[in-house]
């Protein structure tokens, strides 16, 4: 087909191919979820429905993009790690980022009512996305550790903050004042001595966030076969299927990565 005289505008497009051999991380984050969580009555400091919906939406992303080797989420954010050898969308950053973010956003709306059975969705939420490349396993693990440390710091703060407000009767500004300058040890002590809460007994999902990886699950299925000159019969066949498994554990130390050594490719 002959080229039109307009065709030259294509040359204005820039190449955004991600560097080879690097892990490609897409992180998305809810837009203005401070307000969104208020308006939809999220429980404080953690809403199990909201976290469940975030994880369900992340699973939908993984189901559609099998080269995601691990995903990690906390609060209103989720990070998706594409295996370093992926050639999905020819490694184009904008394609990867927009597909992840739009699949996630539409799933968040699609599954909303399964999680928020009593609370209607009041307006369409949105999520921003960014792409970051990590060249080594060390860098990638440090990235995930950074997000999990962030989860811990925020969750410890929020747990004491809301205990002071909901159980201690302080105003939000008084609670803020009480917590100014305190370190982790002080917060643990406050929770324990004033509210009889052992922070380490709080649900792992809240303290550690959600890590999604692929699991190989054996599955027995029944198949109908019809051998020549015989009647149709049923046979049982075992097949292995990839299934998503959710973990709420520490991913900063070695143990998780030793137990799931197939998740990352070697350097
Ligand atoms: P952004 O991301 O710059 O558009 O602004 P925000 O407001 O989304 O800020 P961000 O992402 O730093 O913080 C997440 C907000 O979402 C934070 O205000 C607390 C809220 N949020 C997330 N998960 C929960 C939850 O389980 N319960 C409650 N009550 N709030 C939550
Ligand atoms: Mg922000
Ligand atoms: Mg946000
Ligand atoms: Mg956030
Ligand atoms: Mg198209």
């Amino acid at each position: 087909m002959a080229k039109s005289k307009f065709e030259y505008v294509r040359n204005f497009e820039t190449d955004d191919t991600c560097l080879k051999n690097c892990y490609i991380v897409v992180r998305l984050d809810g837009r203005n979820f401070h307000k969104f969580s208020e308006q939809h009555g999220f429980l404080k400091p953690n809403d199990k429905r909201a976290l469940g919906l975030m994880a369900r939406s992340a699973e939908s992303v993984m189901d559609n993009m099998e080269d995601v080797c691990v995903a990690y989420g906390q609060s209103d954010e989720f990070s998706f790690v594409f295996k370093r050898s992926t050639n999905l969308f020819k490694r184009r950053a904008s394609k990867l980022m927009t597909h992840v973010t739009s699949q996630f956003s539409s799933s968040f709306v699609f599954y909303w009512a399964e999680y928020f059975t009593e609370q209607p969705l009041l307006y369409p939420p949105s999520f921003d996305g960014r792409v970051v490349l990590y060249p080594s396993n060390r860098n990638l693990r440090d990235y995930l550790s950074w997000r999990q440390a962030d989860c811990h710091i925020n969750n410890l703060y929020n747990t004491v903050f809301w205990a002071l407000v909901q159980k201690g009767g302080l105003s939000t500004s008084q609670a803020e004042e009480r917590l100014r300058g305190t370190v982790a040890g002080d917060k643990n002590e406050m929770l324990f001595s004033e509210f009889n809460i052992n922070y380490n007994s709080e649900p792992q999902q809240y303290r550690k966030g959600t890590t999604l990886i692929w699991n190989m699950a054996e599955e027995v299925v029944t198949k109908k076969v019809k051998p020549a000159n015989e009647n149709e019969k049923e046979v049982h066949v075992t097949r292995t299927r990839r299934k998503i498994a959710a973990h709420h554990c520490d991913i900063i130390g070695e143990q998780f990565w030793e137990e799931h050594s197939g998740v990352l490719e070697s350097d």
Side-chain angles (χ1 to χ4, degrees), residues 212-225:
L212 302 175
I213 54 174
W214 290 104
N215 239 1
M216 288 303 179
E218 295 232 312
E219 194 181 63
V220 181
V221 291
T222 314
K223 268 177 86 168
K224 285 197 173 122
V225 292

Side-chain angles (χ1 to χ4, degrees), residues 74-234:
Q74 52 118 345
S75 181
D76 67 339
E77 68 169 61
F78 238 99
S79 298
F80 298 86
V81 180
F82 286 88
K83 63 182 191 182
R84 54 191 354 170
S85 59
T86 190
N87 205 29
L88 190 64
F89 305 123
K90 300 210 177 83
R91 298 178 74 85
R92 286 169 60 189
S94 53
K95 285 259 186 186
L96 290 163
M97 179 175 68
T98 53
H99 274 301
V100 164
T101 312
S102 66
Q103 180 73 38
F104 189 95
S105 306
S106 63
S107 301
F108 191 90
V109 172
F110 188 79
Y111 294 112
W112 174 269
E114 275 185 32
Y115 291 83
F116 287 87
T117 50
E118 317 269 297
Q119 169 66 54
L121 183 59
L122 302 173
Y123 55 88
S126 71
F127 294 84
D128 69 29
R130 72 191 71 191
V131 171
V132 191
L133 303 183
Y134 292 105
S136 67
N137 283 3
R138 186 70 266 161
N139 293 152
L140 178 75
R141 281 191 45 193
D142 286 347
Y143 168 77
L144 294 169
S145 299
W146 173 49
R147 298 325 303 149
Q148 189 166 56
D150 186 83
C151 174
H152 166 72
I153 293 164
N154 290 331
N155 191 61
L156 177 58
Y157 183 93
N158 292 337
T159 305
V160 198
F161 181 88
W162 289 110
L164 289 168
V165 173
Q166 292 165 345
K167 302 188 174 124
L170 266 57
S171 70
T172 52
S173 47
Q174 285 170 327
E176 232 175 271
E177 190 53 44
R178 273 286 311 270
L179 287 170
R180 207 183 305 280
T182 58
V183 296
D186 305 327
K187 295 187 184 79
N188 275 307
E189 184 51 35
M190 258 170 152
L191 276 176
F192 194 67
S193 58
E194 294 177 41
F195 304 103
N196 203 23
I197 295 172
N198 181 349
Y199 183 70
N200 289 324
S201 309
E202 289 291 291
Q204 293 250 98
Q205 184 186 16
Y206 303 162
R207 291 185 293 119
K208 303 293 182 191
T210 301
T211 305
L212 302 175
I213 54 174
W214 290 104
N215 239 1
M216 288 303 179
E218 295 232 312
E219 194 181 63
V220 181
V221 291
T222 314
K223 268 177 86 168
K224 285 197 173 122
V225 292
K226 186 175 179 326
N229 309 321
E230 276 181 55
N231 289 332
E232 189 179 75
K233 60 178 182 184
E234 288 193 337

Side-chain angles (χ1 to χ4, degrees), residues 29-35 37 42-47 50-51 75-76:
D29 184 285
R31 181 175 187 192
N32 207 354
F33 261 46
H34 180 68
K35 184 166 147 232
S37 59
F42 283 19
L43 299 175
K44 298 163 193 302
N46 289 288
D47 191 305
L51 297 174
S75 181
D76 67 339

